[in-house]
Amino acid sequence: MASELCKTISEAKLERHKNLFLNYRNLHHFPLELLKDEGLQYLERLYMKRNSLTTLPENLAQKLPNLVELYLHSNNIVVVPEAIGSLVKLQFLDLSDNALEIVCPEIGRLRSLRHLRLANNQLKYLPAVPPVWIVEVGDLRELQTLDISTNRLITLPERLHMCLSLQYLTADRNHLWYVPRHLCQLPSLNELSMAGNRLAFLPLDLGRSRELQYVYVDNNIHLKGLPSYLYNKVIGCSGCGSPIQVSEVKLLSFSSGQLTVFLPAEVKSIGTETDHVLPLQELAMRTLYNIYYRFLKDLNFLTPISLPKSLLELLHCPLGHCHRCSQPMFTIVYPKLFPLRETPMAGLHQG
């Protein structure tokens, strides 16, 4: 195995490869062959997924100065060295499924970084407000994707709203109990996913931005209401019926200022801990949708004679899609079933 590894790296050096695949090599240490002499000056993409690495070399940037993408998914890395900040051309960094407990503030020096994946680690916090001579996550002005799901985070970085290019923020399955209001200021944010946390409320301004189209807050059992600005977004509130732990049936509501309007009792959000059976109407709608849409690709031929008008409208436009399996949802949890113009909240979202 060692001789094969040496041969692979030697060929990459000799032929000036831009891509190097070292996945599934059972590596416990970063290969010294990569760091010998001048290193691999032409290498742009390094794949080292599913090994057993525990750390990275301090001189990584010196030996691989043109690295654009670094894939370290599924290793045992506990600490990322401060030298990571010297990879000035890095655009994609995947450290998912490791054993990270701390992310060094120097990661903020990766000014070209566009995609950062830190899911499935043991992070309790991301770099907070630092001393003035240190940078942090909020300095990643080119960052478009941030995945920090399945960690132990209680809060998000204070300066995250400075990531002006951020489009996709995934923070599922953490210990977050609120959504920082400054996230509403992100001008490019298109998708916000905070499923499986401890959210009890959402900022009233959330959804005001036209760019934000998808908000997933599935399995936040203490969440009782939604901001009125979310009424025309794609919202995930409880998944498609997968079991979750709730103590009692809850109703959804709209909130704006001091005014809260609960939706009709028919829109019971999820059921109880022992009742995971979806309503018959919901199951029937999903079946109709799958049959007509999958095979005919056109629902316009259906008439009120075939189905009631209300069901036809739902078939044409599902109220949303499950955060877990992406299948359409029709009659449960989504407040769009009852447009604001038909409630006392009408007009409050306009301005």
Side-chain angles (χ1 to χ4, degrees):
M1 178 68 74
S3 60
E4 181 184 347
L5 178 64
C6 291
K7 181 180 178 182
T8 300
I9 296 176
S10 296
E11 288 180 357
K13 284 185 177 181
L14 183 63
E15 300 176 9
R16 297 182 176 182
H17 289 181
K18 292 186 177 182
N19 304 320
L20 180 58
F21 297 88
L22 299 178
N23 302 323
Y24 298 95
R25 298 278 184 153
N26 196 31
L27 299 174
H28 292 267
H29 305 284
F30 204 88
L32 294 177
E33 291 77 7
L34 281 175
L35 308 174
K36 285 182 179 179
D37 303 322
E38 75 280 0
L40 278 75
Q41 300 291 315
Y42 295 90
L43 194 66
E44 295 182 0
R45 297 171 187 85
L46 177 58
Y47 298 81
M48 299 187 71
K49 298 181 181 181
R50 299 195 178 277
N51 285 288
S52 299
L53 301 176
T54 57
T55 187
L56 299 176
E58 292 287 346
N59 59 346
L60 183 63
Q62 178 184 351
K63 300 298 182 179
L64 305 175
N66 291 302
L67 210 56
V68 176
E69 299 179 8
L70 179 57
Y71 298 89
L72 296 164
H73 185 285
S74 299
N75 280 277
N76 296 317
I77 299 173
V78 178
V79 177
V80 178
E82 297 177 359
I84 192 77
S86 298
L87 289 168
V88 294
K89 295 185 179 181
L90 198 65
Q91 296 182 16
F92 194 113
L93 177 59
D94 188 354
L95 284 162
S96 302
D97 286 288
N98 276 276
L100 291 177
E101 297 180 359
I102 297 176
V103 174
C104 59
E106 283 74 17
I107 201 170
R109 290 163 53 192
L110 299 174
R111 300 303 175 86
S112 299
L113 195 64
R114 296 182 181 180
H115 307 281
L116 176 59
R117 302 191 183 282
L118 300 169
N120 295 304
N121 280 284
Q122 300 178 31
L123 299 172
K124 294 183 179 179
Y125 61 90
L126 293 177
V129 178
V132 294
W133 63 87
I134 300 178
V135 289
E136 60 154 328
V137 173
D139 291 285
L140 301 175
R141 301 299 176 89
E142 299 299 320
L143 192 66
Q144 299 175 11
T145 302
L146 176 60
D147 186 353
I148 48 177
S149 56
T150 316
N151 279 282
R152 302 176 183 177
L153 298 172
I154 299 176
T155 60
L156 296 176
E158 288 294 327
R159 293 178 60 191
L160 191 57
H161 67 287
M162 300 298 292
C163 297
L164 300 180
S165 300
L166 191 62
Q167 299 176 29
Y168 306 98
L169 174 58
T170 305
D172 301 338
R173 297 177 296 280
N174 279 281
H175 300 158
L176 302 169
W177 58 277
Y178 73 99
V179 178
R181 188 175 182 182
H182 60 247
L183 290 186
C184 302
Q185 304 172 19
L186 287 169
S188 303
L189 191 63
N190 177 262
E191 180 175 311
L192 173 64
S193 187
M194 300 186 71
N197 280 280
R198 301 174 180 177
L199 302 179
F201 62 93
L202 298 174
L204 295 179
D205 291 341
L206 187 64
R208 189 169 188 171
S209 168
R210 292 184 178 180
E211 294 298 322
L212 185 61
Q213 293 296 318
Y214 304 90
V215 178
Y216 300 109
V217 286
D218 308 62
N219 291 353
N220 284 277
I221 62 175
H222 302 295
L223 186 61
K224 298 180 180 178
L226 297 174
S228 59
Y229 286 110
L230 293 181
Y231 88 106
N232 62 346
K233 312 290 184 179
V234 176
I235 311 169
C237 294
S238 72
C240 62
S242 298
I244 64 168
Q245 301 298 316
V246 291
S247 57
E248 59 182 3
V249 174
K250 293 182 174 62
L251 300 182
L252 292 181
S253 65
F254 288 116
S255 297
S256 180
Q258 297 181 348
L259 178 62
T260 298
V261 177
F262 286 91
L263 297 181
E266 298 82 50
V267 196
K268 291 179 179 178
S269 56
I270 357 178
T272 66
E273 183 175 350
T274 57
D275 179 15
H276 304 136
V277 180
L278 290 171
L280 181 59
Q281 183 184 15
E282 175 68 21
L283 294 175
M285 292 297 295
R286 293 183 191 178
T287 300
L288 285 171
Y289 181 89
N290 289 334
I291 291 175
Y292 288 122
Y293 186 76
R294 182 178 300 173
F295 294 106
L296 300 176
K297 302 296 183 183
D298 185 6
L299 300 175
N300 292 324
F301 76 95
L302 292 172
T303 66
I305 299 177
S306 307
L307 288 172
K309 181 180 179 182
S310 59
L311 296 186
L312 278 175
E313 291 176 351
L314 283 177
L315 275 181
H316 277 80
C317 184
L319 298 180
H321 292 78
C322 175
H323 175 55
R324 299 185 190 86
C325 65
S326 297
Q327 70 170 311
M329 301 173 66
F330 296 92
T331 63
I332 60 175
V333 274
Y334 288 98
K336 189 177 177 182
L337 182 59
F338 298 89
L340 288 182
R341 64 177 179 273
E342 299 175 7
T343 72
M345 294 288 287
L348 291 182
H349 65 285
Q350 301 174 354

